Amino acid sequence: MNKAVAVVGMCGSGKSVLCGYFEDLGWQKVYFGGVTVSELKKQGIPVNEENERTMREGLRAKYGMGAFALLLKDEILDKLSRGNVVLDGLYSWSEYVILKELLGDNLVLLAVVTNSGVRKERLASREVRPLTAEQVDSRDKAEIENLEKGGPIAKADYFMLNNSFEVKLEKQFGNFMEWFNGLK
């Protein structure tokens, strides 16, 4: 069976950049946040930090803390039948447990960690959905307390520190791929 690598980390840590590296290698991506944005658009609600948080928490209230894994399970399995998959945005411990039960050793957790101040700088200057420092703190608190986000990061199979330039992250990605390719 092909493998799924779930890239986990706090907002602004570099998850999307890492997922892009996987896509450059021909991996298929499943974007967990796409469920939130799609549902907001379907309901005609503006896409912004507050509405995204409300929607994420609402979906979890409706389907449980494993909501996004449940809602994306068929897409993940379909894409895995055709190749390796990178999962962008696995948040909760419950999502991890559901996918671990489904995929077993074919699920790998890759955590990217970044100092809070660096994340705040990145998020303030990003083109899509920039956040203020206060919004980052609020989002961090909500994701850790309400969405079980810390568990998958703590349980990761492999860690990368991303406090510097993208060229260093790209080098770490190469090291990860060497490690990954050695897995049985």
Side-chain angles (χ1 to χ4, degrees), residues 13-176:
S13 61
K15 296 183 303 295
S16 295
V17 173
L18 281 171
C19 288
Y21 296 159
F22 283 99
E23 289 180 290
D24 289 346
L25 294 177
W27 289 45
Q28 300 169 87
K29 180 173 90 169
V30 175
Y31 177 49
F32 282 46
V35 173
T36 302
V37 173
S38 175
E39 191 61 31
L40 286 170
K41 288 179 178 178
K42 187 165 69 173
Q43 294 182 27
I45 301 170
V47 177
N48 60 43
E49 172 58 28
E50 182 179 338
N51 292 340
E52 288 178 62
R53 178 184 304 171
T54 300
M55 182 61 68
R56 279 191 302 270
E57 292 178 5
L59 288 168
R60 285 188 169 91
K62 182 176 181 178
Y63 296 104
M65 289 304 292
F68 289 75
L70 293 172
L71 294 169
L72 292 169
K73 183 173 65 170
D74 291 341
E75 180 182 348
I76 292 167
L77 289 173
D78 178 57
K79 288 183 175 182
L80 274 172
S81 72
R82 294 180 270 135
N84 290 328
V85 175
V86 62
L87 306 176
D88 182 357
L90 183 147
Y91 275 22
S92 78
W93 179 254
S94 296
E95 290 167 350
Y96 165 72
V97 168
I98 288 167
L99 292 178
K100 189 67 175 175
E101 288 175 2
L102 182 68
L103 304 175
D105 290 339
N106 294 311
L107 174 66
V108 175
L109 286 180
L110 168 58
V112 57
V113 294
T114 305
N115 292 356
S116 179
V118 174
R119 291 188 306 106
K120 287 177 182 177
E121 288 175 17
R122 287 179 186 161
L123 292 166
S125 63
R126 73 178 180 182
E127 291 182 27
V128 178
R129 299 177 302 155
L131 301 175
T132 66
E134 294 78 19
Q135 288 172 316
V136 174
D137 286 338
S138 176
R139 181 171 177 164
D140 285 354
K141 184 178 187 301
E143 290 179 350
I144 291 167
E145 292 180 356
N146 303 338
L147 302 182
E148 305 175 343
K149 194 164 188 180
I153 297 169
K155 182 70 173 158
D157 299 299
Y158 195 99
F159 286 86
M160 289 184 194
L161 179 62
N162 183 25
N163 284 324
S164 189
F165 300 103
E166 188 174 336
V167 66
K168 289 189 176 184
L169 184 63
E170 194 168 2
K171 183 178 186 321
Q172 289 184 75
F173 177 73
N175 294 339
F176 168 78

